[in-house]
Amino acid sequence: METNTGEFMLSARDRPENSSDPDLTAANSEMIYRVFYSKAKLKAIAQTSALLAGFAMVAMVEVTLDNAVPYPSILLVLFSCVTTLLVIVHLFSLMIATCILPNIEAAVGIRKWTSSPHNKFKSQIEVAWILSTGFGLVLFLIEVALLIWIKFWTIMDHGPPQSVTIDSEHLVTDSPGPPAPVNNNPSHKGAMLAAIIASVAFLVPGGIAFIYFGASFYSKLANHAREIRMSEMDKIHEKRLL
Amino acid sequence: METNTGEFMLSARDRPENSSDPDLTAANSEMIYRVFYSKAKLKAIAQTSALLAGFAMVAMVEVTLDNAVPYPSILLVLFSCVTTLLVIVHLFSLMIATCILPNIEAAVGIRKWTSSPHNKFKSQIEVAWILSTGFGLVLFLIEVALLIWIKFWTIMDHGPPQSVTIDSEHLVTDSPGPPAPVNNNPSHKGAMLAAIIASVAFLVPGGIAFIYFGASFYSKLANHAREIRMSEMDKIHEKRLL
Amino acid sequence: METNTGEFMLSARDRPENSSDPDLTAANSEMIYRVFYSKAKLKAIAQTSALLAGFAMVAMVEVTLDNAVPYPSILLVLFSCVTTLLVIVHLFSLMIATCILPNIEAAVGIRKWTSSPHNKFKSQIEVAWILSTGFGLVLFLIEVALLIWIKFWTIMDHGPPQSVTIDSEHLVTDSPGPPAPVNNNPSHKGAMLAAIIASVAFLVPGGIAFIYFGASFYSKLANHAREIRMSEMDKIHEKRLL
Amino acid sequence: METNTGEFMLSARDRPENSSDPDLTAANSEMIYRVFYSKAKLKAIAQTSALLAGFAMVAMVEVTLDNAVPYPSILLVLFSCVTTLLVIVHLFSLMIATCILPNIEAAVGIRKWTSSPHNKFKSQIEVAWILSTGFGLVLFLIEVALLIWIKFWTIMDHGPPQSVTIDSEHLVTDSPGPPAPVNNNPSHKGAMLAAIIASVAFLVPGGIAFIYFGASFYSKLANHAREIRMSEMDKIHEKRLL
Amino acid sequence: METNTGEFMLSARDRPENSSDPDLTAANSEMIYRVFYSKAKLKAIAQTSALLAGFAMVAMVEVTLDNAVPYPSILLVLFSCVTTLLVIVHLFSLMIATCILPNIEAAVGIRKWTSSPHNKFKSQIEVAWILSTGFGLVLFLIEVALLIWIKFWTIMDHGPPQSVTIDSEHLVTDSPGPPAPVNNNPSHKGAMLAAIIASVAFLVPGGIAFIYFGASFYSKLANHAREIRMSEMDKIHEKRLL
Amino acid sequence: METNTGEFMLSARDRPENSSDPDLTAANSEMIYRVFYSKAKLKAIAQTSALLAGFAMVAMVEVTLDNAVPYPSILLVLFSCVTTLLVIVHLFSLMIATCILPNIEAAVGIRKWTSSPHNKFKSQIEVAWILSTGFGLVLFLIEVALLIWIKFWTIMDHGPPQSVTIDSEHLVTDSPGPPAPVNNNPSHKGAMLAAIIASVAFLVPGGIAFIYFGASFYSKLANHAREIRMSEMDKIHEKRLL
């Protein structure tokens, strides 16, 4: 909201819509639009990525892995990989954003739209954007689901404990003691049910909806941008014909 | 407060209320109003959603589930589902907001109100708005109630422990030892009472009031917007008739 | 501080105090004042409420309830109720603020002061204001006092433990072992004293002063606003009489 | 830094130092100075107080009181009182700041300097200022010192444990077992030394310097303000004499 | 987005591209560009560095080292060194940024571009930039990988415990008791696998990609800046020839 | 970046470099530069100090001192002193910054550069600056090193436990039980190595580089400021001679 209205006020006074303003010909306006668009995108990336990378690291530090609980390998592998990927993806976006932003800001500061590097780094900005807003958010969703599994695995019933198969004669003497509480964990059914429902009934459709809408969004926005540009081009052509 | 007053000062000088300003005809003003409105909404969504999604994840990481406590299945299922939903809802709103905002900001930057995508994505903005401010806040309330239940369940009296029904002959030998402290938890009555009162006497009416006022708000704001638009239309018609 | 001075500079140049500026007649100025006032209030609400609701939730997640400590029922009931209320009150204010703010901001953006919904939602803004700044802060104070009681209850002397009355013959055999440390908690006197002094000698007068000054503030501000409006009205009447 | 320079640029163009600007007579300028000064003060209060109240509450929630440690009464009493006071003081300042700020901001928004309530609430603003920046920061320092004592008390040597004096014949049987590790805490000398040095050698002189410089600051700033006002008054008198 | 558009609006009105504006000759514009560029860079450094140094310290405080786990020396050495380096690198960048920024901001405030110290401290700004955005982010990635190893080492199978080799006759009596659970940690395979996959399959390529893209970015941005400057120089030469 | 460019645009239009602008004579410009410089410095101090004081307090609250570990006295003394000093230093800087900033901001608001108190409080601003950016950051580095030592001391090999020397006949009976795990801590070598390397090989050179570059920075900046001022003075003299 800030002061964007300020310029519109000032210009409304002395600038009719199709004025001969040297900076605001259709072609120029398209270019300036791209500069502002890249700047707004990179700013959004920098903010979201720093926040989510921080949350991912806090989750890694604070989660408590119980020494006596037989976590399945696949869960641990997935958790460590998703956390690592999440941090890599967001730090990568952050690096791209903080590298290109100062150049664009300085170019905006002296109004040399052509000296802004947003055109040369078009694909990198796009990659950072998709990594941060698309891939990064989906990874964040998966991270939350894995956290729920790790939390609830602690209070689940893990079937006959692994130590049974290894030292079996040791089992005879005092097995009723230690393994019993593991085997009869009082809330194992609820934990299993909760983790399954949360992942299958909510996260899977949620993730699919996320990806579907994200992709449709992206194509719709691209279409919108193309249409706007097309109509601008048409206007220029018409003018030239007149 | 920032500099919104700046433009009013500048325009007050040389712009009577019904001036022939090319940018500020009634129809145009309606359009610019919608651009600013969408922008302010999306900014509010982005801020609130990031914050609440973060709090939900922290709550999930930090909550400690006790291995010896027989949590009821329904509590665990609800907690995991509400947390997952909360994160999905807020990340979804965040994605929509960060996707559309840069386009609107760039359009405001070059004052091409027609190139702003707020019209094409009207329903998506509305969905993000309701998910974030309506559904998201109600879920947050429920999350807090579930956290209270999980916290207090640890110190509640859980009736005869489940392990009694499973290995009954094991119970005879040393049941007075371990199960006794569970059965006679010193503050079980207070915990039960506290959790019931907090949910039934506060959260239920609070939630209902929340939904009721939220809905009435929404309809009132919609009415207000329609009335404003109607009077604008009337003014335009009157002008044309003159 | 930002750029509020900017407009005063620009206007100081060409606008004497009682100019015939079409936007700044006394009646108009009153209306614009109310728009800015509502906007500043709602922004303050949104910031304070989000912060305090977050702190209340963190306190709920992080507090550790000891299984062996006989917390009194009233303490647990109060703690859960105050936490729930605190979160409800602040989320409610947050919802109101984020619902109305975008409308006011968009209205300010196009300078249609009449299209701002601050008049229609006057009572809701007032309710959100009192809930957030008045009721919410008092609840926060009470929350801190309850936290101190819960923390210190753990190290207090709780009289003869409850388990004594239930299984008394069990007590004979090994009572000198476990119950003794509970009964003779080394710092029980200090904990009791600290909790009593903090609540009675500080929180009660502090809370009363808080409510008293809050109420007197509110009436004083209302008086101030009425006086300003009265003098404005008088000026208008005088002008009409001339 | 923001845009304060903007107005100086605009005015530098067409306003000599002693111009006949109707808004900027010496008397007026003094009034506007007070409005801006009150606004800047209240903003600083709101930010600092919310932060420090939050830190105090987090410290209260997170500190762990050990059941087996004989904390001295005075330490517990002081800790609970200082925490309560700290929260009260900062919430009180926060309430005053959030109550008065919207009025001042709205008054600045419409440039009616006389309608700003900063004059009527002069003493309250001063009280909030001293509570937040003076008293509040000193309390925060004391809170840190008390936290160090509580932390280090856990690993100090507490002399013969209290339980010795109470059940002395019980001591004979198994005293070599449990009390021995308490009595011979391996790092008790260092902990005692550390707590004493930190409080006596650093906190006491630090606190005194804090209060001394705070008070001298306050009087120096008051002097400065009086001198500025005096010279202004002299200028007005001189002008009238001419 | 803020008000950068404001100046372009104002200038678009009365400044053709190659105007004889005394401040905006090609040489001057290059200088102003460098001032704005340094300022934007230093601001980005200050924000990123403070955040990441804080996260590194929190990770150090919160990580729990288990007394009974035989961490390998190399892991502990790496963890402590990386944490220390991370904090040093970011605090160093923070110091440089906070030292030079006020000078540049004040120089921008009075528009004396030549008095800005960005030229004299060119290499320091560059060093801070590379330390913060390049080296600092890579260290942060390594820190996350080391955290995963430390977390997962706790639940790994550590082979025959070290204590076996030291007091071997002690082992005979009660070795089946304590060492067994260490030796047969139920989730050791998964933990080992997870840590290896996360580091080797994700972090190593991720880190390499990070360094590669960072370096290529850096050279590309330098090229871009050189090209822009070259074309500016050419324009000046051409003008002089005419 | 905000709107600093705004004023340069507006002034570029109608102000040649050596114009007779009454506000921008060389002497005046020097004064305004000092006002902006002090303001930017104090803002940076307020932000950095609040953040680092908060981190120091969190570190104090969260660090866990183990009752059974014989921490050396010097470590505990250093840790408590550095934490106390860190909090004092940053709160002191914060107090100075929040005391002087509102005065400077209000003076900037009404453009009475002479009424700004930055000249009278020159030494205090300098003290706050050095305390916050110089001394405060070095203390923060030392704090991190001490945290590493405290963390790693828990898992180090502490030689024969102290209790051995005190009750030696008690040692004979059950010494093989408890002291053995302390004596043979499985990761003591790595911990010792890690702590030594982190402090000696990284922190000592890092700290020295920090102090060296900080001091050289400070003198270089002072030189730069003096040179700028000298050349300004020369210009004034030359003008007077002409």
Side-chain angles (χ1 to χ4, degrees):
Chain A
M1 252 320 294
E2 321 292 290
T3 50
N4 302 316
T5 57
E7 93 263 7
F8 132 65
M9 281 312 117
L10 285 165
S11 59
R13 191 166 28 158
D14 54 352
R15 194 189 43 81
E17 188 79 332
N18 299 308
S19 70
S20 59
D21 192 342
D23 262 26
L24 274 175
T25 57
N28 226 2
S29 135
E30 177 62 27
M31 192 175 63
I32 300 170
Y33 180 90
R34 308 265 6 139
V35 174
F36 284 142
Y37 184 49
S38 309
K39 207 181 133 195
K41 254 184 170 175
L42 290 173
K43 273 213 170 156
I45 291 170
Q47 282 173 6
T48 314
S49 287
L51 197 76
L52 295 187
F55 274 127
M57 188 175 169
V58 166
M60 189 71 230
V61 175
E62 303 254 336
V63 79
T64 45
L65 297 173
D66 198 334
N67 214 329
V69 175
Y71 296 105
S73 302
I74 187 73
L75 187 60
L76 295 173
V77 170
L78 271 178
F79 182 63
S80 65
C81 292
V82 167
T83 306
T84 317
L85 254 182
L86 199 53
V87 173
I88 289 177
V89 158
H90 285 300
L91 286 189
F92 200 76
S93 304
L94 189 65
M95 188 194 68
I96 294 177
T98 47
C99 270
I100 303 178
L101 252 184
N103 287 283
I104 295 185
E105 288 196 339
V108 168
I110 59 163
R111 298 180 328 284
K112 294 251 183 244
W113 312 110
T114 47
S115 72
S116 159
H118 71 278
N119 231 17
K120 221 169 236 168
F121 293 95
K122 208 174 185 176
S123 58
Q124 281 92 333
I125 295 176
E126 215 60 23
V127 164
W129 176 247
I130 290 169
L131 279 183
S132 170
T133 332
F135 198 46
L137 290 187
V138 171
L139 279 178
F140 200 82
L141 272 186
I142 297 173
E143 175 93 3
V144 170
L146 290 173
L147 268 174
I148 290 178
W149 273 98
I150 283 183
K151 277 274 164 190
F152 282 4
W153 199 266
T154 319
I155 56 171
M156 274 183 201
D157 186 11
H158 312 294
Q162 290 194 345
S163 58
V164 175
T165 57
I166 296 169
D167 40 1
S168 56
E169 84 294 339
H170 172 50
L171 186 75
V172 182
T173 54
D174 57 343
S175 72
V182 174
N183 203 13
N184 300 310
N185 197 307
S187 50
H188 68 93
K189 275 184 198 162
M192 180 65 90
L193 207 66
I196 289 173
I197 290 179
S199 347
V200 176
F202 282 87
L203 206 88
V204 169
I208 292 169
F210 209 94
I211 294 166
Y212 173 74
F213 280 111
S216 86
F217 250 174
Y218 194 78
S219 68
K220 237 178 146 180
L221 278 170
N223 277 345
H224 175 78
R226 212 184 49 232
E227 276 169 34
I228 296 286
R229 212 176 308 148
M230 295 286 265
S231 68
E232 294 282 337
M233 293 296 160
D234 289 355
K235 271 189 199 163
I236 300 172
H237 278 294
E238 278 170 27
K239 270 188 189 169
R240 283 185 185 163
L241 291 174
L242 290 176
Chain B
M1 252 321 296
E2 320 292 289
T3 50
N4 301 316
T5 57
E7 93 262 9
F8 132 65
M9 282 311 116
L10 285 166
S11 59
R13 191 167 27 158
D14 56 350
R15 193 188 44 79
E17 187 79 333
N18 299 308
S19 71
S20 59
D21 191 342
D23 262 25
L24 272 176
T25 58
N28 225 1
S29 136
E30 176 61 28
M31 192 175 64
I32 299 171
Y33 180 91
R34 307 264 9 138
V35 174
F36 284 141
Y37 184 50
S38 308
K39 207 181 134 193
K41 254 184 169 175
L42 290 173
K43 274 213 169 156
I45 291 170
Q47 282 173 6
T48 314
S49 287
L51 196 77
L52 295 187
F55 274 127
M57 187 173 170
V58 166
M60 189 70 230
V61 175
E62 303 255 337
V63 80
T64 45
L65 297 173
D66 197 334
N67 214 328
V69 175
Y71 296 105
S73 302
I74 187 74
L75 187 60
L76 294 173
V77 169
L78 272 177
F79 183 63
S80 65
C81 292
V82 167
T83 306
T84 317
L85 254 181
L86 199 52
V87 173
I88 290 177
V89 158
H90 285 301
L91 286 189
F92 199 76
S93 304
L94 189 65
M95 188 193 68
I96 294 178
T98 46
C99 271
I100 303 179
L101 252 184
N103 287 283
I104 295 186
E105 287 196 339
V108 168
I110 60 163
R111 298 182 328 284
K112 294 251 182 245
W113 312 109
T114 46
S115 71
S116 160
H118 71 279
N119 233 15
K120 223 169 233 166
F121 293 95
K122 208 174 186 176
S123 58
Q124 280 93 333
I125 295 175
E126 215 59 23
V127 164
W129 176 247
I130 291 170
L131 278 183
S132 170
T133 333
F135 198 47
L137 290 187
V138 171
L139 279 177
F140 199 82
L141 272 187
I142 297 172
E143 176 92 4
V144 169
L146 290 172
L147 268 174
I148 290 178
W149 272 98
I150 283 183
K151 278 274 164 191
F152 281 4
W153 200 265
T154 318
I155 56 170
M156 275 182 200
D157 186 12
H158 311 294
Q162 288 195 345
S163 58
V164 175
T165 56
I166 297 170
D167 41 359
S168 57
E169 85 293 340
H170 172 51
L171 184 75
V172 182
T173 54
D174 57 342
S175 72
V182 175
N183 203 12
N184 300 310
N185 196 307
S187 50
H188 68 93
K189 274 184 197 163
M192 179 65 88
L193 206 67
I196 289 173
I197 290 179
S199 344
V200 176
F202 283 87
L203 205 89
V204 170
I208 291 170
F210 210 93
I211 294 167
Y212 173 75
F213 279 110
S216 85
F217 250 171
Y218 195 78
S219 68
K220 238 178 146 179
L221 279 170
N223 277 346
H224 176 79
R226 212 184 49 232
E227 276 169 34
I228 296 286
R229 212 177 309 148
M230 295 286 266
S231 69
E232 295 281 337
M233 292 298 160
D234 290 354
K235 272 188 198 163
I236 301 173
H237 277 294
E238 276 171 30
K239 270 188 189 168
R240 283 185 187 163
L241 291 175
L242 289 176
Chain C
M1 252 323 293
E2 319 291 288
T3 49
N4 300 315
T5 57
E7 94 261 7
F8 131 65
M9 282 312 115
L10 285 165
S11 58
R13 193 166 26 159
D14 55 350
R15 192 188 44 81
E17 187 78 334
N18 298 309
S19 71
S20 58
D21 192 342
D23 262 26
L24 272 175
T25 58
N28 226 0
S29 137
E30 176 62 28
M31 193 174 64
I32 299 171
Y33 181 89
R34 307 264 11 137
V35 174
F36 283 141
Y37 185 49
S38 308
K39 207 181 134 193
K41 255 183 169 176
L42 289 173
K43 273 211 169 156
I45 292 170
Q47 281 172 7
T48 315
S49 286
L51 196 77
L52 295 187
F55 274 127
M57 189 174 169
V58 166
M60 189 71 230
V61 175
E62 303 255 337
V63 79
T64 46
L65 297 173
D66 197 334
N67 214 329
V69 175
Y71 296 105
S73 303
I74 187 73
L75 187 60
L76 295 173
V77 170
L78 272 177
F79 182 63
S80 65
C81 292
V82 166
T83 306
T84 317
L85 254 181
L86 199 52
V87 173
I88 289 178
V89 158
H90 285 300
L91 286 189
F92 199 76
S93 304
L94 189 65
M95 188 194 68
I96 294 178
T98 46
C99 271
I100 304 179
L101 252 183
N103 286 284
I104 295 185
E105 288 195 339
V108 168
I110 60 163
R111 299 182 326 283
K112 294 251 183 245
W113 313 109
T114 48
S115 72
S116 160
H118 72 280
N119 233 16
K120 223 170 233 167
F121 292 96
K122 209 175 185 175
S123 58
Q124 280 93 333
I125 295 175
E126 214 60 24
V127 164
W129 177 246
I130 291 170
L131 279 183
S132 170
T133 332
F135 198 47
L137 289 187
V138 170
L139 279 177
F140 199 82
L141 272 187
I142 297 173
E143 176 92 3
V144 170
L146 290 172
L147 268 173
I148 290 178
W149 273 98
I150 284 182
K151 277 275 163 190
F152 281 5
W153 200 265
T154 319
I155 57 170
M156 275 183 201
D157 186 11
H158 311 294
Q162 288 196 344
S163 58
V164 175
T165 56
I166 297 169
D167 41 359
S168 56
E169 83 295 341
H170 172 50
L171 185 76
V172 181
T173 54
D174 57 342
S175 71
V182 174
N183 203 12
N184 301 309
N185 197 308
S187 50
H188 67 94
K189 275 184 197 162
M192 179 65 89
L193 207 67
I196 289 173
I197 290 179
S199 344
V200 176
F202 284 87
L203 206 88
V204 170
I208 290 171
F210 211 93
I211 294 168
Y212 172 75
F213 279 111
S216 85
F217 250 173
Y218 194 78
S219 68
K220 238 177 147 179
L221 278 171
N223 277 346
H224 176 79
R226 213 185 48 232
E227 275 169 34
I228 297 286
R229 213 177 306 148
M230 294 287 266
S231 68
E232 295 281 339
M233 291 298 159
D234 289 355
K235 273 188 196 162
I236 300 172
H237 278 294
E238 277 170 29
K239 269 188 189 168
R240 282 184 187 163
L241 291 175
L242 289 177
Chain D
M1 252 322 294
E2 318 293 287
T3 49
N4 300 316
T5 57
E7 93 261 9
F8 131 65
M9 284 310 117
L10 286 164
S11 60
R13 194 167 25 160
D14 54 350
R15 193 189 44 80
E17 187 78 334
N18 298 309
S19 71
S20 58
D21 192 342
D23 261 26
L24 272 175
T25 57
N28 225 1
S29 136
E30 176 62 28
M31 192 175 65
I32 299 171
Y33 180 90
R34 307 278 350 152
V35 174
F36 283 141
Y37 184 49
S38 308
K39 207 181 133 193
K41 255 183 169 177
L42 290 173
K43 274 213 169 156
I45 291 170
Q47 281 173 7
T48 314
S49 287
L51 197 76
L52 294 188
F55 273 127
M57 189 174 168
V58 166
M60 188 71 230
V61 175
E62 304 253 337
V63 79
T64 44
L65 297 174
D66 198 333
N67 214 328
V69 175
Y71 296 106
S73 302
I74 187 72
L75 187 60
L76 295 173
V77 170
L78 272 177
F79 182 62
S80 64
C81 291
V82 167
T83 306
T84 317
L85 254 182
L86 199 52
V87 174
I88 289 178
V89 158
H90 284 301
L91 286 189
F92 199 75
S93 304
L94 189 64
M95 189 193 68
I96 294 178
T98 47
C99 270
I100 304 179
L101 252 185
N103 286 284
I104 295 185
E105 288 195 339
V108 167
I110 59 164
R111 298 183 326 284
K112 294 252 182 242
W113 313 109
T114 48
S115 71
S116 160
H118 71 280
N119 233 16
K120 224 170 233 168
F121 292 96
K122 209 175 185 176
S123 59
Q124 279 92 334
I125 295 175
E126 213 61 21
V127 164
W129 177 247
I130 290 170
L131 279 183
S132 170
T133 331
F135 198 47
L137 289 187
V138 170
L139 280 177
F140 199 82
L141 272 187
I142 297 173
E143 176 92 4
V144 169
L146 290 172
L147 267 173
I148 290 178
W149 274 98
I150 283 183
K151 277 275 164 191
F152 281 5
W153 200 265
T154 318
I155 56 171
M156 274 184 202
D157 186 11
H158 311 295
Q162 289 195 341
S163 57
V164 175
T165 57
I166 296 169
D167 39 1
S168 57
E169 85 292 340
H170 171 49
L171 186 75
V172 182
T173 54
D174 58 342
S175 70
V182 175
N183 203 11
N184 301 311
N185 197 307
S187 49
H188 67 96
K189 274 183 198 163
M192 178 65 88
L193 207 66
I196 287 173
I197 290 178
S199 345
V200 176
F202 284 87
L203 205 87
V204 170
I208 291 170
F210 211 93
I211 294 168
Y212 173 74
F213 280 111
S216 84
F217 252 173
Y218 194 78
S219 68
K220 237 177 147 181
L221 278 170
N223 278 345
H224 175 79
R226 211 184 50 231
E227 277 168 31
I228 297 285
R229 213 177 305 148
M230 295 286 266
S231 68
E232 294 281 337
M233 292 297 159
D234 289 355
K235 271 188 198 163
I236 300 172
H237 277 294
E238 278 169 28
K239 268 187 191 169
R240 283 184 186 162
L241 291 175
L242 289 176
Chain E
M1 254 319 294
E2 319 293 288
T3 49
N4 302 315
T5 56
E7 92 262 8
F8 130 64
M9 283 312 119
L10 286 165
S11 59
R13 192 165 28 159
D14 54 352
R15 193 189 46 80
E17 189 77 333
N18 299 308
S19 70
S20 58
D21 192 341
D23 261 27
L24 272 176
T25 56
N28 225 1
S29 135
E30 177 61 26
M31 191 176 64
I32 299 170
Y33 179 89
R34 307 271 359 144
V35 174
F36 283 141
Y37 184 49
S38 308
K39 206 180 133 195
K41 253 184 171 177
L42 290 174
K43 274 211 169 157
I45 291 169
Q47 281 173 7
T48 315
S49 287
L51 197 77
L52 295 188
F55 273 128
M57 188 174 169
V58 166
M60 189 70 229
V61 175
E62 304 252 337
V63 78
T64 45
L65 298 173
D66 198 333
N67 213 329
V69 175
Y71 297 105
S73 302
I74 186 73
L75 187 59
L76 294 174
V77 169
L78 272 178
F79 183 63
S80 65
C81 292
V82 167
T83 306
T84 317
L85 254 181
L86 199 51
V87 173
I88 289 178
V89 159
H90 285 301
L91 285 189
F92 199 75
S93 304
L94 189 65
M95 189 194 67
I96 295 178
T98 48
C99 270
I100 304 179
L101 252 184
N103 286 284
I104 295 186
E105 288 195 339
V108 168
I110 60 163
R111 298 183 327 285
K112 294 251 182 243
W113 312 109
T114 47
S115 71
S116 159
H118 71 278
N119 232 16
K120 222 169 234 167
F121 293 95
K122 209 175 184 174
S123 58
Q124 281 93 332
I125 295 175
E126 214 60 23
V127 165
W129 176 247
I130 290 170
L131 279 183
S132 169
T133 332
F135 198 46
L137 290 186
V138 170
L139 279 178
F140 199 81
L141 272 187
I142 297 172
E143 175 93 3
V144 169
L146 291 173
L147 268 173
I148 290 178
W149 273 97
I150 284 183
K151 278 275 163 190
F152 282 4
W153 200 265
T154 319
I155 56 171
M156 274 183 200
D157 186 12
H158 311 295
Q162 290 194 342
S163 58
V164 174
T165 57
I166 297 170
D167 39 2
S168 55
E169 84 293 340
H170 172 50
L171 186 76
V172 182
T173 54
D174 57 341
S175 71
V182 174
N183 203 13
N184 300 310
N185 198 307
S187 49
H188 67 93
K189 273 184 199 163
M192 180 65 89
L193 207 67
I196 289 172
I197 291 178
S199 344
V200 176
F202 283 87
L203 206 88
V204 169
I208 291 169
F210 209 94
I211 293 166
Y212 173 74
F213 280 111
S216 86
F217 250 175
Y218 194 79
S219 68
K220 238 178 147 179
L221 279 170
N223 278 344
H224 175 78
R226 212 183 50 232
E227 277 169 34
I228 296 287
R229 212 176 308 149
M230 296 286 265
S231 69
E232 293 282 336
M233 292 297 159
D234 288 356
K235 271 188 198 164
I236 300 173
H237 279 293
E238 278 171 28
K239 269 189 191 170
R240 283 185 184 162
L241 292 175
L242 288 177
Chain F
M1 254 321 294
E2 318 294 287
T3 48
N4 302 315
T5 57
E7 91 262 9
F8 131 65
M9 283 311 119
L10 285 165
S11 60
R13 194 165 25 159
D14 53 352
R15 193 189 44 79
E17 188 78 333
N18 299 307
S19 70
S20 59
D21 193 340
D23 261 26
L24 272 175
T25 57
N28 225 1
S29 135
E30 177 62 27
M31 192 176 63
I32 299 170
Y33 180 88
R34 307 275 355 149
V35 174
F36 283 143
Y37 185 47
S38 308
K39 207 181 132 194
K41 254 184 171 176
L42 290 173
K43 274 212 169 158
I45 291 170
Q47 281 173 7
T48 315
S49 287
L51 197 76
L52 295 188
F55 274 127
M57 188 174 169
V58 166
M60 189 71 229
V61 175
E62 304 253 338
V63 79
T64 45
L65 297 173
D66 198 332
N67 214 328
V69 175
Y71 296 106
S73 302
I74 187 72
L75 187 60
L76 294 173
V77 170
L78 272 178
F79 183 63
S80 64
C81 291
V82 167
T83 306
T84 316
L85 254 181
L86 199 52
V87 173
I88 289 178
V89 158
H90 285 301
L91 285 189
F92 200 75
S93 305
L94 189 64
M95 190 194 67
I96 294 177
T98 47
C99 270
I100 304 179
L101 252 185
N103 286 283
I104 295 186
E105 289 195 339
V108 167
I110 60 164
R111 297 184 327 285
K112 294 252 183 240
W113 313 109
T114 47
S115 71
S116 160
H118 72 278
N119 233 16
K120 223 169 233 167
F121 293 96
K122 208 174 185 175
S123 59
Q124 280 92 335
I125 295 176
E126 214 60 22
V127 165
W129 176 246
I130 290 170
L131 279 182
S132 169
T133 332
F135 198 47
L137 289 187
V138 171
L139 279 177
F140 200 81
L141 271 186
I142 297 173
E143 175 92 4
V144 169
L146 290 173
L147 268 173
I148 289 178
W149 273 97
I150 283 183
K151 277 275 163 191
F152 282 4
W153 201 266
T154 319
I155 57 171
M156 273 183 202
D157 186 11
H158 311 294
Q162 291 194 341
S163 58
V164 174
T165 57
I166 296 170
D167 38 2
S168 56
E169 84 293 340
H170 171 50
L171 185 75
V172 183
T173 53
D174 56 342
S175 71
V182 175
N183 203 12
N184 301 310
N185 197 307
S187 49
H188 67 94
K189 274 184 199 162
M192 179 65 89
L193 208 67
I196 288 172
I197 290 179
S199 346
V200 176
F202 283 87
L203 206 88
V204 169
I208 291 170
F210 209 93
I211 293 167
Y212 173 74
F213 280 112
S216 84
F217 250 174
Y218 194 79
S219 68
K220 237 178 148 181
L221 279 170
N223 279 343
H224 175 79
R226 212 184 50 233
E227 276 168 33
I228 296 287
R229 212 176 307 150
M230 296 286 265
S231 68
E232 294 281 335
M233 292 298 158
D234 289 355
K235 271 188 197 164
I236 300 173
H237 279 294
E238 278 170 28
K239 269 189 189 169
R240 282 185 186 162
L241 291 175
L242 289 177

